[in-house]
């Protein structure tokens, strides 16, 4: 299983980092320049440490990278966190950097695309963009962790959301206690 993970310039970079730590299989990472700055502002990780979690790392400008082509085989893409700017571009079919192009490849090749927006409150434009993307086949998985497993730490809250992403990718995990278990 090969997964493209994109980390874009929204708060909640830790969700993307923890996903990289837990995700099995081959991982290609695209991290935008804004995401790198937010990463340093809101986590204890360095950009270099995060890059080491992936098998391949691409710059957002690398439109000649393998994952920019539908002929290159990868199974799924997760954009986590996904800025509303990137989400809007994907919903409109704009493919002007490697994140939006790889997402457009997912849409046209009917591959799984999981988008994790993190913005609040949501404007009507944002809500319409998410609806459009969902109707076109992407999974919209907002960065809103559940509280029913009674989390005691921030890490447990983060793990809940990472577990929901892994559920979408079909990877077994024990990152949170399921309702009824
Ligand atoms: C500190 C900081 C936090 C931000 N948080 C968010 C956010 O949570 N959600 C969002 O949609 N945009 C957020 N933005 C704005 C995006 O970074 C901005 O729209 C940027 O153009 C996104 O570019 P990218 O998607 O190519 O990384 C934030 C910006 C900064 C500087």
């Amino acid at each position: 299983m090969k997964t493209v993970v994109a980390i874009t310039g929204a708060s909640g970079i830790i969700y993307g980092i923890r996903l990289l730590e837990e995700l099995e299989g081959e991982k290609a990472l695209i991290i935008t320049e804004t995401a790198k700055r937010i990463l340093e502002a809101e986590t204890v990780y360095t950009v270099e440490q995060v890059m080491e979690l992936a098998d391949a790392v691409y710059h957002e400008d690398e439109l000649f990278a393998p994952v920019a082509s539908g002929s290159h085989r990868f199974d799924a893409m997760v954009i986590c966190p996904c800025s509303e700017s990137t989400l809007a571009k994907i919903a409109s079919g704009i493919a002007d950097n490697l994140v939006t192009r790889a997402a457009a490849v997912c849409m046209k090749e009917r591959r799984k695309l999981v988008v994790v927006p993190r913005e609040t409150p949501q404007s009507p434009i944002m809500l319409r963009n998410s609806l459009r993307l969902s109707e076109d086949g992407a999974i919209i998985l907002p960065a809103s962790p559940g509280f029913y497993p009674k989390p005691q730490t921030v890490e447990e809250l983060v793990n809940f959301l990472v577990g929901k992403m892994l559920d979408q990718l079909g990877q077994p995990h024990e990152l949170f206690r399921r309702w009824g278990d």
Side-chain angles (χ1 to χ4, degrees):
M1 169 108 173
K2 176 170 181 174
T3 309
V4 178
V5 175
I7 299 180
T8 69
S11 187
I13 302 283
I14 190 64
Y15 291 122
I17 297 172
R18 287 285 298 120
L19 174 66
L20 283 169
E21 287 175 338
E22 293 293 332
L23 183 61
E24 296 167 357
E26 194 179 342
K27 290 165 266 190
L29 170 66
I30 312 162
I31 178 164
T32 69
E33 285 303 309
T34 320
K36 288 177 189 170
R37 293 188 59 182
I38 298 176
L39 181 154
E40 282 171 348
E42 69 177 21
T43 81
V44 296
Y45 291 77
T46 65
V47 173
E48 290 69 30
Q49 285 171 326
V50 174
M51 286 176 165
E52 282 169 10
L53 298 171
D55 301 286
V57 182
Y58 301 105
H59 190 270
E60 63 191 291
D61 290 341
E62 278 187 78
L63 278 163
F64 285 73
V67 297
S69 171
S71 67
H72 180 78
R73 294 302 313 175
F74 63 89
D75 302 287
M77 178 175 186
V78 184
I79 310 178
C80 174
C82 185
S83 76
E84 292 295 341
S85 171
T86 288
L87 191 155
K89 285 197 258 182
I90 299 165
S92 306
I94 295 171
D96 64 342
N97 67 21
L98 191 57
V99 177
T100 51
R101 171 61 189 167
V105 166
C106 283
M107 300 302 282
K108 80 184 179 77
E109 302 290 340
R110 305 292 194 265
R111 295 178 196 162
K112 180 156 269 188
L113 174 63
V114 180
V115 177
V116 184
R118 207 262 25 124
E119 186 55 278
T120 194
Q122 291 262 306
S123 70
I125 295 171
M126 294 166 179
L127 292 166
R128 279 195 294 271
N129 287 337
S130 281
L131 176 61
R132 180 144 50 128
L133 209 44
S134 176
E135 287 176 340
D136 288 341
I139 304 291
I140 307 295
L141 199 156
S144 48
F147 286 77
Y148 52 85
K150 294 199 174 81
Q152 302 298 306
T153 64
V154 172
E155 189 183 3
E156 286 176 22
L157 284 168
V158 172
N159 282 351
F160 180 93
L161 206 78
V162 174
K164 296 293 274 189
M165 289 180 242
L166 294 181
D167 283 352
Q168 286 299 324
L169 298 172
Q171 180 182 316
H173 67 84
E174 294 186 355
L175 286 172
F176 60 81
R177 189 171 48 81
R178 294 179 191 277
W179 186 249
D181 285 357

